[in-house]
Amino acid sequence: MKRRPVLPGLKLTLGFTLFYVALIVALPVAALLFKAASLGPAEYWAIVSSPRAVASYRVTVLSALGATVFNLVFGLALAWVLTRYRFPGRRILDAVVDLPFALPTAVAGIALTALFAPSGWFGAPLAELGIKVAYTPLGIMVAMTFTSLPFIVRTVQPVLEDLDPTLEEAALSLGASDSAIFARVVLPLLAPALLAGVSLSFARSLGEFGAIIFIAGNQPMSTEITALLAFIRLEEYDYQAAAAIASVLLITAFAMLAITNILQARALRYTRKG
Amino acid sequence: MKITLDNVVKTFNTFRAVRGVSLDIGSGELVALLGPSGSGKTTILRMVAGLEYADGGQIRFGEEDATDIPVRERGVGFVFQHYALFPHMTVGDNIAFGMKVSKKKRSPAEIAARVADLLRLVRLEGLGDRYPAQISGGQRQRVALARALAVDPKVLLLDEPFGALDANVRRELRRWLREIHDELGITTLFVTHDQEEALDLADRVVILKDGKIVQVGTPEEVCRTPVNAFVMRFLGDANHFPATISGEVASIGGARMPAPGLVDGAADAYARPGDLGFSLEGDGVAATISRVLDRPDGRRLIAVTEAGEHVELDVAPDAPVKAGARGVITLARAHIFPAA
């Protein structure tokens, strides 16, 4: 017997879904690519490989990598603490993790700038140590770290919660040291979730705009991120150049997602039946 | 390895899970911890493994106090109720895990040879490259056992080893576990709530209730001489009859039975369905048959006594009894305990 679906039939739901995805996701992406493609190959290449653009890719990608690595370690630790321990204030900490999601990024940017400016609470002591954060690539990294923190915590947390504690006990009874249990049992089981979190965190950092422009200083060739460069081109009514630069971000994000999906499928091969 | 539990106590928050358990397990013995849920049997097993600390008392491995031996150096093989196989490792890698993380270095060839031996022992040749998700429950159970045996444990501990399997697989694995135990001679302790499993498999059965030992003995001892009504009822179907003792003789309805050592007064008699019979007249307990259940190996009668108690008794498949018949239940054997 055919199971009666709760929502109206396949034709209607699928049709609506496809229409919606096309309108909201595919159309803007297509328009962007179309706009960029209206440039000739030589002109396109000249824009995306200009020294200013290349410098913006470098600072964006390196900062995003730094932020992602930091969040990988810290986010995993945070998820671990939130799932494995019961302590007063745990629920508050759990809620605070979502703050970067909820906070308008411009607010985050202004707050971070105020903290890390040479006269700020963190900026002043750091300046004495000779470390400048605001208006340097380090500031970009701080802003990216802040806005992308929830991704790794929230992807790892549910998997960690479902991790069967008897697996660790089994490893222990078989004579494994704590580090061996972590490296051989816990980490491989968390790997797919970590990968998903890393790719989301990295993609978010690549595209982050609001939080960064306040703290970055936005000096061309040193602290100007790619998203800002596209925005500047837009302000100059140079739509094609803006689209060309944006298309580089788009392609990077796509490539990133594709790679993570492949890695994830590999990491999850053990769940396949048959 | 001989294991001694000396007045072991364990409390979780306010729940007293284990209340002073003392037990000697001889080297090479196969012992079952049998009890209803909440009787503390799994907690005892986990304390022996070192996964749980005793709040009081002592557990000794041989002559050594096990409190000071960390889990990973105790040399126990633990088989978990739901197997706890590492899902991201193949069957072979699961079995090799203990050897790979061991301080004792083994060459890859040595490990591979041992894994092949163990796969043969648990009759899973050719499945070494599968993942746990790709094999059946009974096979996973055997992998879990092979993984535990791979580290040459001095003691094997199994927590409800066959609990999650269906009846046929369970019976087969039970026989097979006994064979492996006899072959390897490892001191083995297993937890079960299934009395049939405990009686079929173990050299000695430890019956637990509310964190205390009620009776320890061979299957024959606990079956033939249960120490109290709890053991009697827990080990199998048992019917209760009120009895009266007078001069070391028990009166159960119209039946008389010797009751040596019991003081005069009220007592409780218990009898297995197979120790009862039904006849239209004679000495026994008056009852009316309410249902007749036909089974492949016999016929079970459900009777109601005049006191309103339900009694189940097994008779020959061709016994001419119909529902509604009135008569007496005769007792061939019964266990009589002082009134609780």
Side-chain angles (χ1 to χ4, degrees):
Chain A
M1 207 187 89
K2 232 175 91 176
R3 224 177 75 88
R4 205 190 71 84
V6 178
L7 291 176
L10 175 72
K11 279 182 195 156
L12 188 59
T13 21
L14 183 68
F16 179 74
T17 314
L18 284 180
F19 174 72
Y20 191 82
V21 168
L23 193 69
I24 299 292
V25 181
L27 192 64
V29 169
L32 175 74
L33 291 176
F34 184 74
K35 199 77 183 167
S38 65
L39 291 162
E43 217 179 335
Y44 178 84
W45 182 249
I47 292 169
V48 300
S49 67
S50 72
R52 187 168 168 188
V54 170
S56 84
Y57 305 149
R58 190 190 308 119
V59 72
T60 308
V61 169
L62 289 179
S63 305
L65 273 179
T68 304
V69 169
F70 183 85
N71 276 342
L72 177 63
V73 176
F74 186 64
L76 176 59
L78 196 53
W80 185 271
V81 167
L82 286 174
T83 47
R84 287 300 168 98
Y85 301 104
R86 292 291 172 267
F87 51 90
R90 190 184 71 91
R91 296 177 69 100
I92 296 172
L93 184 63
D94 198 34
V96 165
V97 170
D98 283 331
L99 208 58
F101 275 163
L103 212 59
T105 53
V107 174
I110 291 165
L112 289 173
T113 313
L115 278 177
F116 285 100
S119 57
W121 289 352
F122 295 167
L126 284 171
E128 273 180 38
L129 296 169
I131 302 167
K132 267 192 72 184
V133 177
Y135 319 123
T136 67
L138 202 56
I140 299 175
M141 232 172 79
V142 169
M144 286 175 170
T145 306
F146 180 85
T147 52
S148 64
L149 169 71
F151 287 103
I152 289 182
V153 180
R154 291 296 181 234
T155 49
V156 171
Q157 207 175 358
V159 181
L160 208 48
E161 252 156 29
D162 287 345
L163 200 65
D164 183 359
T166 60
L167 291 180
E168 287 156 66
E169 289 181 346
L172 193 62
S173 76
L174 290 167
S177 64
D178 289 341
S179 56
I181 294 173
F182 186 74
R184 287 169 181 268
V185 178
V186 177
L187 211 51
L189 290 171
L190 292 182
L194 278 172
L195 267 172
V198 161
S199 82
L200 289 172
S201 169
F202 187 71
R204 169 72 194 253
S205 295
L206 282 185
E208 183 51 45
F209 183 77
I212 296 172
I213 51 170
F214 292 97
I215 200 171
N218 307 324
Q219 290 302 307
M221 307 304 292
S222 73
T223 57
E224 185 179 61
I225 57 168
T226 310
L228 179 64
L229 187 59
F231 179 69
I232 289 169
R233 291 288 175 261
L234 209 59
E235 295 266 87
E236 295 165 349
Y237 302 107
D238 190 351
Y239 294 127
Q240 288 174 322
I245 293 167
S247 72
V248 174
L249 282 181
L250 184 71
I251 290 160
T252 316
F254 264 136
M256 183 72 200
L257 281 177
I259 292 168
T260 4
N261 271 319
I262 293 166
L263 289 177
Q264 245 185 326
R266 279 180 57 90
L268 281 172
R269 33 166 214 247
Y270 63 81
T271 54
R272 273 207 305 268
K273 301 242 172 197
Chain B
M1 173 67 68
K2 181 172 171 289
I3 302 171
T4 311
L5 279 77
D6 192 357
N7 199 22
V8 172
V9 175
K10 177 73 188 179
T11 307
F12 295 108
N13 293 323
T14 57
F15 176 63
R16 292 162 67 207
V18 178
R19 312 177 181 190
V21 164
S22 298
L23 181 64
D24 282 306
I25 299 158
S27 193
E29 212 180 0
L30 178 51
V31 172
L33 297 175
L34 174 67
S37 55
S39 59
K41 54 196 192 304
T42 296
T43 307
I44 294 172
L45 196 73
R46 290 174 59 85
M47 285 192 288
V48 173
L51 295 170
E52 218 73 76
Y53 281 105
D55 297 330
Q58 204 185 37
I59 297 173
R60 287 190 296 275
F61 278 34
E63 294 308 315
E64 198 179 355
D65 184 352
T67 317
D68 306 330
I69 317 172
V71 189
R72 61 174 66 95
E73 282 160 31
R74 271 192 199 202
V76 295
F78 201 105
V79 176
F80 291 83
Q81 189 174 1
H82 300 289
Y83 326 129
L85 296 180
F86 306 125
H88 59 296
M89 295 181 200
T90 62
V91 165
D93 287 340
N94 262 286
I95 297 174
F97 183 87
M99 291 182 274
K100 282 184 184 164
V101 298
S102 162
K103 275 183 208 143
K104 197 176 134 198
K105 289 282 164 262
R106 295 174 175 86
S107 71
E110 198 180 338
I111 291 176
R114 178 97 171 103
V115 168
D117 279 349
L118 285 160
L119 281 172
R120 206 169 310 123
L121 180 73
V122 299
R123 298 184 205 145
L124 290 176
E125 298 104 320
L127 292 186
D129 293 328
R130 300 275 191 94
Y131 284 100
Q134 298 166 336
I135 58 177
S136 72
Q139 291 171 331
R140 276 177 223 167
Q141 181 59 59
R142 286 185 272 164
V143 176
L145 186 68
R147 182 178 69 175
L149 291 173
V151 291
D152 294 319
K154 290 174 280 189
V155 180
L156 190 60
L157 306 170
L158 304 102
D159 186 7
E160 301 265 4
F162 313 123
L165 302 169
D166 59 52
N168 283 333
V169 180
R170 201 147 70 202
R171 208 159 297 144
E172 189 194 319
L173 282 182
R174 207 185 281 165
R175 201 167 49 233
W176 166 84
L177 178 65
R178 182 72 223 191
E179 283 167 19
I180 288 200
H181 175 267
D182 292 345
E183 191 179 327
L184 303 176
I186 302 175
T187 309
T188 304
L189 190 57
F190 77 99
V191 156
T192 182
H193 63 264
D194 178 346
Q195 58 283 3
E196 191 188 311
E197 193 166 290
L199 296 172
D200 276 12
L201 193 51
D203 297 326
R204 276 198 305 154
V205 178
V206 179
I207 298 168
L208 291 148
K209 186 194 178 208
D210 298 331
K212 282 189 275 213
I213 293 178
V214 185
Q215 187 171 5
V216 182
T218 62
E220 187 186 355
E221 284 164 355
V222 295
C223 287
R224 300 296 159 248
T225 52
V227 293
N228 62 20
F230 170 79
V231 174
M232 181 75 195
R233 303 174 83 131
F234 189 69
L235 288 181
D237 293 342
N239 296 294
H240 171 252
F241 299 95
T244 317
I245 311 283
S246 174
E248 301 205 330
V249 172
S251 306
I252 305 161
R256 298 277 179 279
M257 210 166 267
L262 285 170
V263 292
D264 288 3
D268 290 310
Y270 289 88
R272 302 283 178 211
D275 292 339
L276 300 175
F278 185 76
S279 63
L280 296 175
E281 50 198 26
D283 290 334
V285 180
T288 307
I289 303 298
S290 69
R291 290 190 67 194
V292 178
L293 311 178
D294 280 305
R295 292 176 172 178
D297 51 355
R299 177 168 265 191
R300 174 162 286 197
L301 309 179
I302 300 182
V304 183
T305 64
E306 281 170 350
E309 285 197 81
H310 286 260
V311 174
E312 299 195 359
L313 53 147
D314 289 338
V315 294
D318 51 359
V321 192
K322 282 206 166 66
R326 296 172 63 88
V328 288
I329 298 169
T330 54
L331 293 91
R333 239 172 266 110
H335 295 277
I336 301 158
F337 305 109

